[in-house]
Amino acid sequence: MRSKAALAAVLGVLALAAAHAEVDPQTCFACHGPNGNSANPAVPTLAGQPGQFITTQLIMFREKRRTDPLMSPIAAPLTNAEISALGKFFAGQQHAAPAKKPADQVLAAGRKLAEDYNCVVCHGPALKGQQHIPRLAGQQAEYLRTQLHGFKAGTRFDMDGNMTSAAQRLNPADIDVLAEYLSGLE
Ligand code: HEC
Ligand code: HEC
């Protein structure tokens, strides 16, 4: 009986928190683009990212594990309920088709690297991400390039170390091909 009452109380608090989770996603559009489809090469697209990836990254920014002069102040005041609502919202937005399709050569070379280096194993066969692993398909090329160099150098925060070790084998030319290939995928 007692634990049932406690559970009901917890659920009540959660429902209340959810009801108050109202950060207008429009505040995010200013940098991340309409519905989270970015047109800024340095700012990632959020539309169609797995919800769990968005929420984990927002928590990492809030806890100052991952830092960025533009993004950190936005994440700092967010509550768990707000973060959860934002994850759901952006995961549900339609990912816009990429502006340009890479040349056939880049498509072939990029696909080969993505398979040889196991990117497809974690990020999924179509590179659309899963759970806490991000979607790479259709992401801004410059953003992808910066993150890959960051993982390789150990300057981009990485929760479990998997991505830092995956980046070690990439040389700068591989990173250029992968960034162009991935950004051109639907
Ligand atoms: C003032 C500009 C700005 C605003 C407003 C902003 N962001 Fe960001 N956000 C950025 C930048 C820049 C990055 C990339 C940081 C980096 O390079 O590590 C980023 C990164 C992120 C990431 C990590 C994505 C990834 O692929 O790794 C998430 C998630 C995110 N923002 C969510 C949000 C949400 C949700 C909002 C609205 C509540 C928001 N942002 C508002 C600038 C902004
Ligand atoms: C063993 C699993 C694994 C493999 C293999 C892997 N990744 Fe990742 N990758 C991850 C995880 C997990 C993250 C999220 C890391 C974090 O922020 O904590 C990530 C993040 C990234 C990001 C950051 C994207 C963003 O929006 O912030 C890029 C870019 C990336 N991976 C590219 C690649 C490429 C290219 C390959 C192949 C060369 C690859 N990954 C191989 C697990 C993997």
Side-chain angles (χ1 to χ4, degrees):
M1 267 320 273
R2 187 176 283 177
S3 69
K4 242 188 196 162
L7 182 65
V10 168
L11 290 177
V13 170
L14 285 179
L16 208 65
H20 286 270
E22 285 183 24
V23 172
D24 188 344
Q26 298 268 358
T27 50
C28 320
F29 297 176
C31 294
H32 290 278
N35 298 324
N37 281 293
S38 173
N40 180 335
V43 181
T45 280
L46 303 175
Q49 276 290 7
Q52 198 187 325
F53 172 71
I54 296 172
T55 56
T56 11
Q57 295 301 315
L58 286 172
I59 291 169
M60 292 301 127
F61 277 116
R62 187 183 68 189
E63 309 305 322
K64 301 189 172 64
R65 304 289 215 90
R66 191 175 166 188
T67 57
D68 178 80
L70 294 174
M71 189 54 215
S72 295
I74 304 280
L78 297 178
T79 65
N80 288 348
E82 288 166 339
I83 285 177
S84 158
L86 287 164
K88 208 172 271 169
F89 175 83
F90 284 107
Q93 299 307 301
Q94 182 72 38
H95 186 281
K100 66 169 188 173
K101 224 182 156 216
D104 288 350
Q105 253 169 301
V106 174
L107 281 176
R111 185 70 204 174
K112 184 167 184 344
L113 286 170
E115 283 173 5
D116 289 353
Y117 291 138
N118 293 330
C119 317
V120 290
V121 174
C122 294
H123 291 272
L127 297 145
K128 290 186 175 168
Q130 53 177 335
Q131 299 172 328
H132 67 294
I133 307 181
R135 173 186 179 120
L136 305 174
Q139 187 53 279
Q140 289 288 335
E142 183 186 316
Y143 177 77
L144 291 171
R145 206 176 296 119
T146 309
Q147 299 308 309
L148 287 169
H149 282 289
F151 283 120
K152 192 171 177 188
T155 52
R156 155 80 199 255
F157 172 74
D158 175 2
M159 254 181 319
D160 55 14
N162 277 334
M163 193 49 224
T164 301
S165 75
Q168 296 313 306
R169 292 155 71 202
L170 303 175
N171 64 39
D174 293 337
I175 290 178
D176 285 346
V177 172
L178 280 165
E180 199 182 336
Y181 163 69
L182 294 166
S183 68
L185 295 177
E186 295 255 340

